[in-house]
Structure formats: structure tokens, C-alpha cells
Amino acid sequence: QFAETGGGLVQPGGSLRLSCVASGFDFNMRSMAWYRQMPGSEREWIAGISNRDEVKYADSVSGRFTISRDNARNTAYLQMNSLLPADPAVYYCNLWTPSAVWGQGTRVTVSA
């Protein structure tokens, strides 16, 4: 299971930190990822972190978002800086190769 929190309303250029508490599997051993789904679009992968802390980003967020993890807390994070009007979406976490079970997600709105 995945429980995402931290979304909200932020002005363009602002920052948010999303958290995802995972359960039901050995978090330490699995690569994690963040995804987002914009209105009218498919869910897309945006950032991933391996169990050895190797990270990778989609071009759309590279340089602005940072993924990290805390294995002691079974938690993955997504630090989002310099948010753009193009970033509003529901943000989800899952395994890097996603399982069929998704959390509720957390909604991010970017508006002046």
C-alpha cells in the first residue's frame, strides 16, 4: 500500500514536499518512483530512486524535483521546487515497476 501526503495549493515558483509511506513489502529492497496524472492525461512516471539511492528523472521535472527515501520510515519523498503552471496533477508513488495497487494520490495545484 502507498499513502501519499503533502499536496496543496502553491504559487508559481513555489515549493512543496510530498511524502509517501509504503507498507506490505520490504521497502529497503525495492526501487521506488513518483508518478503524476494531469487532467485528461495518462499517469506518467516522473522520478525514480533505486534501493541503492540511484536516481533518475523525467525531462519535465529534472533540475526542479528531487526524490529521496528514508528506509527506516518506509517513506519516499519528492521535493518539488520552482513549480510551474504545467505541474498541477495528482501525484502518486509506487514501485519503479509499478504494482497494480495505487494509493489515493495527493493533489498539487499551482496558481497565483
Side-chain angles (χ1 to χ4, degrees):
Q1 287 186 326
F2 306 98
E4 302 93 345
T5 58
L9 172 64
V10 63
Q11 293 185 340
S15 298
L16 282 174
R17 187 193 195 204
L18 307 183
S19 299
C20 168
V21 178
S23 61
F25 61 94
D26 191 346
F27 184 84
N28 293 3
M29 299 301 294
R30 304 301 299 270
S31 297
M32 297 296 299
W34 283 92
Y35 303 78
R36 68 183 180 187
Q37 186 167 20
M38 299 177 177
S41 299
E42 297 289 319
R43 189 154 38 204
E44 62 174 344
W45 176 94
I46 58 171
I49 183 167
S50 75
N51 60 341
R52 293 179 293 179
D53 288 340
E54 298 155 325
V55 299
K56 188 174 182 179
Y57 300 94
D59 289 345
S60 57
V61 306
S62 182
R64 300 187 298 121
F65 292 9
T66 302
I67 188 172
S68 60
R69 63 192 296 160
D70 183 341
N71 290 337
R73 290 181 166 82
N74 281 13
T75 301
Y77 300 99
L78 187 68
Q79 177 67 43
M80 306 189 297
N81 298 329
S82 302
L83 282 159
L84 302 172
D87 290 322
V90 179
Y91 285 72
Y92 302 87
C93 74
N94 205 311
L95 302 176
W96 197 319
T97 301
S99 74
V101 178
W102 293 84
Q104 298 283 340
T106 186
R107 184 175 298 276
V108 173
T109 303
V110 181
S111 175

